[in-house]
Amino acid sequence: MADTTTRQMMEQVAAVEPAIVIGAGAAGLAVAQALMKAGVPTSILEKESRLAEPWHRRHRQLRLNTHRDLSALPGLAYPTDTPAFPPRDVVIRHMNDFREANRLPVEFGVAVETIVFRGDHWAVRTSAGSRLARHVVVATGRDRQPFTPQWKGMQAFAGRIVHSADFGDATTYAGKKVLVVGAGNSGFDALNHLADVDTSAIWLSARNGPALLPKRIGKIAVHRLSPLMARLPLRVADAVIAATQRLVFGDLTKFGMPPAPSGGVSRLTSDYTAIAADDGAVDAIKSGKIVVVPAIREFTRDGVILANGSLVHPDIVIAATGYRTGLESMVGNLGVLDNKGVPLFNGGEADPKLPGLWFTGMRPSIRGCFANAAILAKAIARRIAGSSLVSGASG
């Protein structure tokens, strides 16, 4: 009780800042730049000790599935010699260059614990004390926490179970029997790399079939068509993706792939399932190097029992099973999250009962995360700059 009272007294004497952005990823950097260009003084709080930490942790083979022309932060193009699909290290450098070019005031090592509504402003409680702000933009990302299901018997399994976020160097899988669980974007990313490695065996455990596109058709980078696709009605966009998938890859159900439960853009919108990109995995499936098998039923000490009762014996299981936002502790008591922990509002939309609270970068977009970050940033900055809450913000 005494700690709570002390904290409230300290909040009463603290200055109320115009805007605080939580998270210095692509979405956070883009919205901070847009706010500062709109004349709104902005602080950026980042829990890590350096920029682009999630990118540093991913495997070195990682490349964007989005084209460089649609993957640049606002006002900063990639160098002319950048590959069409920028690799991890180039993305990290791009984010650092953007921060420096725009003199964005990122405060590193500050973790936000919870956000409390104070009627006309917000108390942002952090590892470094409380901050007050008229507007708070949560930009911590939809891929904040890797999610691995708790399969029956997995604790007894003698092999390794890793999340796709910890895929590592593809060459370390040489000679191994590998089971990839999940036919989504991260599952196909792992399979694309494994297809070039001399593994002992590769299985893909797929509960649902993916919406799947090639990175290129001939010399055309498919993602460059995404702005056009984003303007189409959902049913039309679903039909275009399904027709393209069938035309390029044929009927993958012949190779054991389950059908997709719904259209690619519809799933992107309804359950936030990103469209997967093929870069060699489908050829490996058709050649038999990758064998598609049913969903997991349970683990044993020596293997994995599948839904049809068959048994496989992988050395390593890669759980390409998605991520969670991890926002429950920060904003879970505000009633702004759906049953998957994803904010109900994104971009320029907000809850009128909670003025000054914004979210960005929390849902996948067919345009890709970088292009979408710029769009959402402009929408949020326009709303905040025109808000009466900004006036008198230093008081």
Side-chain angles (χ1 to χ4, degrees), residues 58-100:
R58 298 294 178 85
H59 59 89
R60 289 193 173 274
Q61 304 96 180
L62 184 67
R63 289 177 176 267
L64 289 178
N65 287 332
T66 54
H67 193 273
R68 63 170 179 255
D69 293 347
L70 296 169
S71 302
L73 288 164
L76 183 69
Y78 282 96
T80 54
D81 61 348
T82 301
F85 299 96
R88 184 197 75 160
D89 290 350
V90 173
V91 175
I92 291 171
R93 185 163 60 248
H94 179 72
M95 293 173 68
N96 279 281
D97 289 347
F98 182 80
R99 176 203 167 202
E100 292 174 13

Side-chain angles (χ1 to χ4, degrees), residues 203-218:
W203 299 279
L204 166 61
S205 173
R207 185 175 55 186
N208 295 310
L212 181 65
L213 291 173
K215 279 198 168 184
R216 294 183 182 275
I217 298 178

Side-chain angles (χ1 to χ4, degrees), residues 355-371:
L357 179 63
W358 311 89
F359 296 91
T360 184
M362 295 294 173
R363 301 174 191 172
S365 165
I366 195 169
R367 293 183 176 91
C369 64
F370 284 85

Side-chain angles (χ1 to χ4, degrees), residues 108-394:
F108 292 102
V110 181
V112 173
E113 296 159 356
T114 188
I115 306 170
V116 181
F117 189 41
R118 296 295 190 210
D120 64 347
H121 67 276
W122 293 85
V124 181
R125 293 172 179 168
T126 82
S127 57
S130 288
R131 304 273 286 267
L132 305 182
R134 301 292 179 190
H135 293 270
V136 175
V137 185
V138 181
T140 49
R142 66 186 187 89
D143 294 349
R144 190 180 181 199
Q145 293 181 349
F147 172 75
T148 301
Q150 293 303 298
W151 289 293
K152 182 181 178 182
M154 63 187 291
Q155 287 77 16
F157 180 57
R160 287 176 54 216
I161 301 174
V162 300
H163 192 273
S164 56
D166 301 313
F167 177 74
D169 185 340
T171 60
T172 63
Y173 295 88
K176 304 293 186 182
K177 293 179 288 185
V178 186
L179 172 63
V180 176
V181 185
N185 188 40
S186 57
F188 265 84
D189 177 64
L191 293 169
N192 289 333
H193 296 298
L194 290 171
D196 293 327
V197 177
D198 187 18
T199 57
S200 178
I202 307 173
W203 299 279
L204 166 61
S205 173
R207 185 175 55 186
N208 295 310
L212 181 65
L213 291 173
K215 279 198 168 184
R216 294 183 182 275
I217 298 178
K219 294 185 177 180
I220 300 172
V222 173
H223 181 251
R224 299 194 75 171
L225 303 175
S226 65
L228 172 63
M229 294 291 294
R231 296 188 188 100
L232 297 176
L234 275 182
R235 286 195 300 176
V236 176
D238 284 342
V240 170
I241 288 174
T244 303
Q245 179 172 337
R246 185 64 177 256
L247 182 66
V248 173
F249 302 125
D251 182 7
L252 293 181
T253 62
K254 294 179 180 178
F255 302 92
M257 189 74 75
S262 59
V265 182
S266 291
R267 289 189 73 192
L268 194 74
T269 304
S270 63
D271 62 7
Y272 320 124
T273 300
I275 296 168
D278 173 65
D279 195 18
V282 170
D283 283 346
I285 290 170
K286 290 180 176 180
S287 72
K289 178 172 183 177
I290 297 173
V291 177
V292 182
V293 298
I296 290 177
R297 179 192 296 175
E298 63 183 282
F299 282 76
T300 68
R301 184 186 181 282
D302 300 317
V304 178
I305 301 173
L306 304 171
N308 64 356
S310 63
L311 183 67
V312 293
H313 297 278
D315 301 306
I316 304 170
V317 175
I318 300 172
T321 45
Y323 298 80
R324 298 292 185 266
T325 65
L327 287 175
E328 286 80 5
S329 61
M330 188 187 296
V331 297
N333 63 340
L334 297 175
V336 294
L337 304 178
D338 67 13
N339 59 5
K340 293 186 177 181
V342 177
L344 298 168
F345 303 93
N346 198 42
E349 303 171 346
D351 186 338
K353 300 186 297 298
L354 299 170
L357 179 63
W358 311 89
F359 296 91
T360 184
M362 295 294 173
R363 301 174 191 172
S365 165
I366 195 169
R367 293 183 176 91
C369 64
F370 284 85
N372 202 45
I375 293 169
L376 299 181
K378 288 179 181 178
I380 292 171
R382 191 161 51 241
R383 293 287 307 275
I384 290 179
S387 169
S388 61
L389 284 179
V390 174
S391 62
S394 62

